[in-house]
Amino acid sequence: MVLVNMSLAFLVALSIILAIPRAAATGGSDSWPEDFVIPAENMSPVWQLHLDPVLMEIHNSARYALNGSQADAEWAALIPLGGGIVNLGPDNEAFMLSIFHQLKCLDIIRKDYLAGMTGARTIPSGATQHCINYLRQMVLCRSNKQLLRVVDIYSNHFIPPRGIVRTCRDWTGVYQRVAEMQESGAAAQP
């Protein structure tokens, strides 16, 4: 099963790497914004959005807690209006950006975890099972190869919980571009 999943992830990654813009393949535009690449047929488009690098310290934050009204508001604020869904292409097809799907999944898992803690749920929901699988696949697909220093293999935090600085992509650019698309009418109505 692992070999099948790895093979599928490899094929998806390969098709994205070898993707060519649809406008170039068809000799013209077919109502796709110019910063999207259309991989092989029956595959989702890839957004070629340039995101500047930013430094982010990885640490245990006081924000995005598990429960409470403040936590609910913070998690909800991660998803832009319209759920991060944009309508694109010649058929005005709805697409959800992967970043927002992943954040939504984390929130679904958070809420299901709380339901289990309070006894409101005894088994994970179907949405939680989907999200666990989806997040697992996204982690494997992106294969972050950065090394983390191990400080204590027998501790709950076997890597330092503070002071790790990473160069990330500036995700605020995604939110800005989605807002621009909403203004132009490309975003789905909630």
Side-chain angles (χ1 to χ4, degrees):
M1 185 64 168
V2 172
L3 184 57
V4 170
N5 285 339
M6 289 176 59
S7 298
L8 287 173
F10 173 76
L11 291 174
V12 169
L14 183 62
S15 67
I16 291 170
I17 291 168
L18 298 176
I20 58 172
R22 176 170 280 181
T26 62
S29 171
D30 55 6
S31 72
W32 284 93
E34 64 185 36
D35 52 358
F36 283 83
V37 172
I38 311 305
E41 191 157 334
N42 296 325
M43 293 193 63
S44 293
V46 178
W47 201 352
Q48 300 291 63
L49 182 63
H50 172 75
L51 300 175
D52 293 324
V54 293
L55 295 178
M56 183 169 82
E57 181 184 357
I58 308 300
H59 63 279
N60 294 330
S61 174
R63 297 186 62 194
Y64 303 101
L66 283 176
N67 60 356
S69 58
Q70 181 69 26
D72 291 341
E74 288 172 342
W75 282 97
L78 289 171
I79 309 298
L81 294 176
I85 296 173
V86 293
N87 293 335
L88 299 165
D91 299 324
N92 204 30
E93 190 175 354
F95 292 93
M96 175 179 260
L97 277 75
S98 185
I99 181 177
F100 301 130
H101 188 180
Q102 293 167 34
L103 290 169
K104 184 71 174 165
C105 272
L106 287 173
D107 195 30
I108 287 169
I109 294 167
R110 174 187 74 91
K111 289 175 182 174
D112 213 23
Y113 177 77
L114 290 173
M117 287 179 54
T118 62
R121 178 178 291 285
T122 57
I123 59 171
S125 69
T128 294
Q129 183 62 50
H130 157 78
C131 285
I132 292 288
N133 264 326
Y134 177 71
L135 292 172
R136 175 187 58 81
Q137 291 167 354
M138 292 300 98
V139 168
L140 290 173
C141 182
R142 283 155 177 85
S143 298
N144 188 333
K145 298 168 291 299
Q146 293 179 325
L147 298 174
L148 303 172
R149 184 172 305 282
V150 175
V151 293
D152 182 356
I153 62 172
Y154 302 106
S155 166
N156 286 336
H157 296 286
F158 55 89
I159 60 166
R162 290 199 66 84
I164 299 171
V165 177
R166 293 288 183 244
T167 301
C168 302
R169 294 183 198 118
D170 186 359
W171 57 89
T172 61
V174 176
Y175 287 86
Q176 290 168 351
R177 184 70 170 105
V178 166
E180 291 168 8
M181 294 176 84
Q182 287 176 333
E183 289 174 14
S184 72
Q189 299 303 314

